[in-house]
Amino acid sequence: MRFFNTSGPVVAADHYCVPPLERIDLRAILALIGDKRYFVLHAPRQTGKTSALLALRDLLNGGVHGRYRCVYVNVEAGQAARENRAEAMRAILSELEIEAEATLDDPLPASLWPALLERAGPAGVLRQVLARWAAADPTPLVLLIDEIDALVGDTLIAVLRQLRAGYAHRPRRFPQSVILCGVRDVRDYRIHSAAEQAIVTGGSAFNIKAESLRIGDFSEAEVRALLGQHTAATGQRFAEDALQAVWELTAGQPWLVNALAQQAGFRNEAGRDRSRDLAAEDLQAAREQLIRRRETHLEQLTDKLQEERVRRVIGPVLSGGQASAEMRPDDLQYVRDLGLVARDDPIRIANLIYREVIPRDLTWTTQAGLTHDPAWYLDAAGNLRLAELLAAFQRFFREHSEHWIERFQYREAGPQLLLQAFLQRVVNSGGRVEREYGLGRMRTDLLIVWPSGAPPGRARRMVIECKLRRGSLDETIRTGLEQTRAYMDRCAAAEGHLVIFDRTAGKPWSDKIFRRTEGAAGMAITVWGM
C-alpha cells in the first residue's frame, strides 16, 4: 500500500507523489546540459530537490535525450570533516566511488582517487579525478552534486574552485555539465576561509554559473492531484473543506502537504477508517499534532530563528511594524531561500503552519515557565473564560513584563509574544489558536477556537487583537475597534477583545492599565490597556 512520504526521496511504487520531473523546468535543464553549462538548482529543505535530481539522472542515463553518463553524488558526508579538506575530500570521493559503481557499474573513480589524493592533495584531487574520468569515455559526463551548501569553509571553497579550474576543458577532459543543488543559490554564499582569513563569496569562487533555477512548492492543482491518489487507491475521499484546509495551511509546501495527509489518513485512528471522508477538522487536528510533536522539519526551520540576519527580517513581521533600516536585501533573500517567508512581496510568513510555529517556538520555554493552571479559566461546562484569562494576564504583565520580555531575542515583538505564550499554555488544554501578523499590519490578530462546552461541530470562536500604542490613545482605540470588529465578522466570532500595549518609557503603570467595554457596529468589544 502506498502512503504519503515525509522522509527521503520519493519512490513511486511506495509513495503517492507528484512526478519529480514535472516539478522542474525540464526543458530549460536539458538545454543547459546540452549547451555544456554549469548551473544551480536550489530550494528550501524537504521540497523535493533530491527526488528531482535522481529522476533527472535516470532520464539522462536512459538515452532518450542524448547519450550521457550521469552520476548523482551527495557531498553531505564531507560536512563532518568541517575544514579538514583532506578528510572531507576522502569522504566526498568515497561517495562518488559508490555512486559511480552503483549507477554506471564504473569502477574507475575508485581506482583513481586514493593515489591522486596523495599526489595532488585536497586542493587538486577532485579536478584530477573528474578530468581522468571524463577522458576515459567519449560519452559526456554529467555530475549532479547534492547538498553542496552542507560543506563549510575551505572545504567548500576547494570544491568550487576545482570545478571552476576544470571548466575550460569540458566536455572531453571534464564533465560536460555540473548541477550544484542546495538550499541557497551559490551567489549568496559567504564562506569563511580559515586559510585566507577572509570571507570568500560563492559568486567569486564559482563564477562559471550560467543560471540559478528554483524548485517551487506544489500548486493547488498538484495538491489536489496528490491527495486524489489516496482516494483512487483506498476509496477514502478528502472532503472539499479538507482539500481547502490542506492548501490554506501549507500553501503547497511539499513536506507539510505530505505530513498533514499522512497524519490525518494513516497515523490517526479515526482517519484509518476508509469508510469515512477526511474533513477539515481532521486536518486541523493533524496540524496541531505535527506542531506539538516538534517534527524535525519544523525544528530545523525554527532553529534558524536564532540567527541575527533572520531576526532582522522576522522581528518586524512578528511585531507588525515596518521594515527596519537594518533589514538588508541579502537578509531577505536568505530567509526566502530557507522557505520561512514567501517568495513574492509583501514580506510575509510562507504559510499558516509556519506562521503558527514561529511564535510558539520562540515562546516554548516561556510557556513552560508559566505556573498558571488552565483549569482556573474554565467554567463547569468546559467553556474558556477568556475575559478572566486576560484580566490575569494584565496583572501578570504589570508585575513581570520587563523581566520576561528581556528574555526574548525578538524584543520588538515581546509583548505580543508574552501574551501568546500565556494564552497558548491555557488553550493547549482543549482548543487552538490561529494567528495573523505581518509586516506593516500594526497589529497581531489571534483567533481562539474552543470546542469544549459547545455543541458538536459548533466550536466557540473568540478573537483578540493586539496593538502597540502609536500616537494618541483615542486614535489607537478607534482604529483598533474597527479592525477588531472586522476580524470578528470575518471569523464569525462571538466575543472580541482589543489589547493595547503602551511602551512609552517612564510612563507610570497607573496610566497604562485600564479595562472598558466599547461598542463597534453593534458588537461589544472589551478594550484592555497594558
Side-chain angles (χ1 to χ4, degrees):
M1 176 183 290
R2 294 199 298 166
F3 55 91
F4 293 97
N5 182 38
T6 59
S7 58
V10 297
V11 178
D14 298 331
H15 307 136
Y16 305 131
C17 64
V18 177
L21 293 179
E22 294 182 8
R23 302 195 52 231
I24 59 177
D25 188 343
L26 183 59
R27 184 189 298 267
I29 287 174
L30 292 174
L32 287 165
I33 292 171
D35 290 342
K36 306 187 248 330
R37 301 300 187 93
Y38 286 20
F39 58 101
V40 172
L41 184 66
H42 70 107
R45 294 200 179 281
Q46 295 185 293
T47 304
K49 300 185 297 296
T50 300
S51 298
L53 289 180
L54 294 174
L56 179 62
R57 177 200 66 189
D58 294 343
L59 180 74
L60 293 176
N61 286 331
V64 175
H65 294 277
R67 292 190 67 243
Y68 295 107
R69 293 177 293 151
C70 183
V71 170
Y72 162 93
V73 61
N74 186 320
V75 298
E76 190 172 17
Q79 184 185 54
R82 307 297 293 174
E83 298 200 59
N84 185 329
R85 295 181 303 166
E87 286 302 313
M89 284 298 172
R90 185 172 284 108
I92 291 168
L93 292 166
S94 293
E95 290 295 320
L96 188 63
E97 166 191 330
I98 292 168
E99 294 293 342
E101 292 182 348
T103 305
L104 303 177
D105 195 22
D106 187 346
L108 185 60
S111 68
L112 290 173
W113 76 260
L116 288 174
L117 180 58
E118 190 70 28
R119 193 174 84 195
V125 63
L126 182 61
R127 180 185 177 187
Q128 292 274 5
V129 170
L130 294 179
R132 283 163 172 73
W133 191 17
D137 189 322
T139 306
L141 179 64
V142 177
L143 185 60
L144 314 179
I145 302 179
D146 201 2
E147 301 290 355
I148 183 66
D149 47 6
L151 303 179
V152 298
D154 289 314
T155 295
L156 176 56
I157 292 170
V159 170
L160 296 178
R161 285 178 173 168
Q162 288 179 74
L163 292 173
R164 184 181 66 182
Y167 178 76
H169 300 282
R170 75 199 193 290
R172 185 69 188 89
R173 295 193 60 83
F174 215 63
Q176 161 143 335
S177 183
V178 173
I179 301 179
L180 298 182
C181 188
V183 171
R184 305 186 63 203
D185 188 346
V186 68
R187 73 166 183 233
D188 298 319
Y189 296 176
R190 300 293 182 268
I191 313 164
H192 179 264
S193 169
E196 299 176 21
Q197 289 296 299
I199 299 295
V200 177
T201 64
S204 66
F206 193 72
N207 59 6
I208 52 175
K209 181 197 75 172
E211 197 165 341
S212 293
L213 304 176
R214 174 163 169 156
I215 300 177
D217 293 329
F218 292 152
S219 67
E220 185 173 4
E222 287 173 328
V223 170
R224 287 175 174 262
L226 178 71
L227 301 180
Q229 292 176 29
H230 175 70
T231 301
T234 67
Q236 183 178 48
R237 295 177 58 253
F238 284 82
E240 181 59 30
D241 65 352
L243 294 170
Q244 291 175 5
V246 174
W247 174 250
E248 290 168 1
L249 289 169
T250 67
Q253 203 288 330
W255 185 89
L256 291 177
V257 172
N258 279 280
L260 272 182
Q262 181 69 12
Q263 182 70 41
F266 286 85
R267 297 190 66 167
N268 289 346
E269 184 176 354
R272 291 196 293 269
D273 178 357
R274 301 302 184 216
S275 67
R276 64 180 290 271
D277 290 354
L278 292 170
E281 279 305 310
D282 295 304
L283 277 302
Q284 291 289 355
R287 176 208 75 150
E288 188 64 19
Q289 289 164 322
L290 295 179
I291 294 172
R292 292 196 189 187
R293 207 158 56 229
R294 307 189 77 173
E295 291 281 358
T296 301
H297 173 89
L298 302 175
E299 280 281 279
Q300 287 180 330
L301 200 70
T302 55
D303 182 63
K304 297 294 184 182
L305 296 172
Q306 308 309 314
E307 297 182 18
E308 184 59 23
R309 56 185 167 173
V310 174
R311 187 204 62 78
R312 287 195 289 264
V313 176
I314 299 299
V317 174
L318 277 171
S319 68
Q322 301 293 346
S324 65
E326 65 174 355
M327 185 192 297
R328 306 165 188 164
D330 58 334
D331 295 336
L332 178 57
Q333 187 59 54
Y334 176 66
V335 176
R336 280 183 165 152
D337 283 347
L338 292 176
L340 274 168
V341 301
R343 293 173 60 185
D344 58 337
D345 292 332
I347 300 170
R348 64 195 186 281
I349 303 302
N351 56 65
L352 294 185
I353 290 181
Y354 290 174
R355 195 165 76 188
E356 175 72 13
V357 165
I358 289 170
R360 285 172 70 165
D361 184 83
L362 291 172
T363 61
W364 205 277
T365 55
T366 304
Q367 291 178 49
L370 296 172
T371 58
H372 289 247
D373 187 335
W376 297 347
Y377 308 108
L378 305 181
D379 65 17
N383 292 302
L384 177 64
R385 297 183 296 192
L386 185 55
E388 291 188 25
L389 188 153
L390 287 172
F393 176 76
Q394 188 181 54
R395 294 190 295 272
F396 174 85
F397 191 80
R398 178 173 185 167
E399 296 171 11
H400 305 294
S401 61
E402 292 181 8
H403 166 68
W404 281 93
I405 289 173
E406 282 301 308
R407 298 184 179 188
F408 291 126
Q409 180 186 5
Y410 288 68
R411 292 190 184 93
E412 63 269 62
Q416 297 97 317
L417 289 174
L418 190 55
L419 172 58
Q420 290 176 67
F422 198 94
L423 183 65
Q424 191 70 53
R425 179 173 172 80
V426 174
V427 171
N428 277 345
S429 65
R432 71 173 189 267
V433 182
E434 297 178 10
R435 305 158 212 260
E436 292 189 24
Y437 54 86
L439 197 68
R441 293 185 81 246
M442 301 301 178
R443 65 189 189 276
T444 299
D445 294 328
L446 307 174
L447 169 65
I448 299 98
V449 181
W450 193 264
S452 299
R458 299 287 300 276
R460 194 153 180 262
R461 302 166 75 85
M462 301 159 275
V463 303
I464 302 173
E465 177 155 312
C466 309
K467 290 182 71 70
L468 294 179
R469 176 179 173 178
R470 292 180 171 90
S472 76
L473 178 61
D474 288 344
E475 180 61 19
T476 302
I477 291 175
R478 186 188 68 77
T479 58
L481 288 171
E482 292 175 359
Q483 292 162 347
T484 306
R485 182 205 59 76
Y487 189 47
M488 290 176 67
D489 184 60
R490 178 157 58 89
C491 298
E495 183 178 341
H497 299 265
L498 171 62
V499 176
I500 297 173
F501 295 106
D502 188 339
R503 305 192 74 182
T504 306
K507 190 172 187 178
W509 280 103
S510 58
D511 292 341
K512 293 193 256 188
I513 296 291
F514 64 86
R515 172 184 178 179
R516 64 185 192 234
T517 300
E518 299 278 355
M523 296 180 177
I525 298 172
T526 305
V527 184
W528 305 81
M530 302 189 192

